[in-house]
Amino acid sequence: MATSSNYEGVLLGMGNPLLDISAVVDDAFLTKYDIKLNNAILAEDKHLPMYDELATKGNVEYIAGGATQNSIRVAQWMLQIPGATSYMGCIGKDKFGEEMKKNAQAAGVTAHYYEDEAAPTGTCAVCVVGGERSLVANLSAANCYKSEHLKKLENWALVEKAKYIYIAGFFLTVSPDSIQLVAEHAAVNNKVFLMNLSAPFICEFFRDAQEKVLPYVDYIFGNETEARIFAKVRGWETENVEEIALKISQLPSASGKQKRIAVITQGADPVVVAEDGQVKTFPVILLPKEKLVDTNGAGDAFVGGFLSQLVQQKSIEDSVKAGCYAANVIIQRSGCTYPEKPDFN
């Protein structure tokens, strides 16, 4: 392991910091609020009473979340190098916001939050049935991030310092201009820029914003459902995840970009990696059903584990292994949480 000074601020994440309000519910609850398992959506008016209802559940937990923030925290945990990661996003000036700051600090992540005066900190309802989760995000303050915050010297310094920059697709709904600034900076400075398809609705309804940034993306992550929607929206007549991954990896790149690698997870099925016109698959660590607590954060944890090796310039194979290890740890716990130290080698 190189000295920690080499890794200071090596990985930067930007996204929507949300406090997860997580509880085990039943099918009637899903029906009542018209939500589906293994999906992630933005809250509409009909969903708003859900947050108070979840808060009354005996098993409710409050866990700092948001997809990108989860991945960055997991990467920091896997790396065990103080100050290796940093993060930006918008929170409110309230107790949930304070909670978020404490959590980032405890995780060892250098967080520069933009604090919105008016909007409360964003929350995400995590509704768990039989270990599977449905996510409903009420972005609130997270939706208020402005590129002016990014351009401030002390914040842009985090961009300058980073060699790898990861942003989940969810941030496309909030600040596409911030993403563009960072993506262009990465291209000009030969840095690695990574994104995630994140959710079917991003691929369907934010296609233009996604399309604009894709040429800059060196690594694109996603799961099989998102990949299939991505293909469908583009009229690719295939449901085959390996074919889709290959096509995504071969979409046009901005000048100066070498190549794109697509990494698609498929739950308990093998991880698909497409690069240089080739597809490889890597088995995941299978978990007996009785050990599954919840899948919330599994995809985020996979990315975090993957990033922890990539920033050390390890192979794709090692990165996938670390991703699978991290996801396996997270699904045996509630939310995107982890033990004190990783046991990965």
Side-chain angles (χ1 to χ4, degrees), residues 26-305:
D26 54 19
D27 289 330
F29 185 95
L30 302 181
T31 307
K32 176 179 176 182
Y33 290 108
D34 188 25
I35 56 175
K36 296 186 190 76
L37 287 177
N38 298 313
N39 198 11
I41 61 170
L42 294 178
E44 297 168 36
D45 289 345
K46 66 180 179 186
H47 300 118
L48 297 179
M50 176 195 296
Y51 298 88
D52 287 337
E53 189 173 338
L54 282 175
T56 66
K57 304 272 179 203
N59 57 31
V60 68
E61 290 182 90
Y62 296 87
I63 304 160
T68 305
Q69 186 162 245
N70 283 343
S71 296
I72 297 297
R73 278 177 32 231
V74 169
Q76 178 63 46
W77 169 68
M78 289 283 287
L79 280 162
Q80 294 286 310
I81 302 168
T85 63
S86 53
Y87 176 79
M88 286 188 263
C90 185
I91 57 176
K93 289 197 162 178
D94 51 21
K95 69 174 199 304
F96 283 175
E98 287 307 312
E99 208 43 45
M100 203 74 85
K101 285 195 261 188
K102 261 190 252 165
N103 198 283
Q105 200 173 0
V109 175
T110 305
H112 286 201
Y113 293 115
Y114 170 52
E115 293 181 52
D116 191 81
E117 296 289 339
T121 296
T123 49
C124 182
V126 181
C127 312
V128 180
V129 178
E132 306 290 335
R133 56 76 177 147
S134 180
L135 305 178
V136 186
N138 184 12
L139 295 181
S140 212
N143 205 26
C144 301
Y145 190 82
K146 306 278 185 291
S147 55
E148 289 78 58
H149 176 262
L150 173 64
K151 291 173 188 165
K152 284 189 177 160
L153 278 178
E154 66 272 27
N155 301 325
W156 189 255
L158 297 180
V159 179
E160 294 278 0
K161 198 177 278 183
K163 296 186 176 75
Y164 297 80
I165 300 167
Y166 173 66
I167 302 178
F170 292 119
F171 204 49
L172 287 166
T173 76
V174 172
S175 190
D177 55 333
S178 297
I179 300 178
Q180 208 62 31
L181 281 172
V182 169
E184 288 169 11
H185 165 86
V188 170
N189 294 282
N190 211 8
K191 295 180 174 186
V192 180
F193 184 62
L194 313 94
M195 279 198 81
N196 204 311
L197 298 177
S198 289
F201 83 87
I202 299 287
C203 301
E204 279 188 280
F205 305 116
F206 292 87
R207 180 183 169 173
D208 292 350
Q210 196 181 48
E211 206 91 301
K212 197 175 166 199
V213 75
L214 264 172
Y216 295 94
V217 178
D218 299 290
Y219 286 79
I220 186 88
F221 298 92
N223 67 26
E224 74 280 39
T225 313
E226 295 149 7
R228 287 185 178 123
I229 294 283
F230 185 95
K232 187 177 155 198
V233 169
R234 282 162 182 73
W236 299 350
E237 288 179 5
T238 177
E239 291 261 301
N240 181 304
V241 173
E242 294 186 23
E243 273 179 51
I244 295 166
L246 197 55
K247 288 183 89 129
I248 294 175
S249 73
Q250 292 169 332
L251 287 169
S253 285
S255 66
K257 285 287 172 186
Q258 302 305 309
K259 61 177 180 183
R260 181 181 306 103
I261 298 175
V263 183
I264 309 295
T265 58
Q266 312 186 84
D269 292 326
V271 178
V272 174
V273 177
E275 89 174 290
D276 293 333
Q278 305 282 312
V279 175
K280 289 183 183 151
T281 57
F282 300 91
V284 303
I285 308 162
L286 293 174
L287 186 73
K289 185 77 175 152
E290 65 275 10
K291 281 194 166 178
L292 173 69
V293 174
D294 73 55
T295 55
N296 180 27
D300 304 336
F302 174 85
V303 173

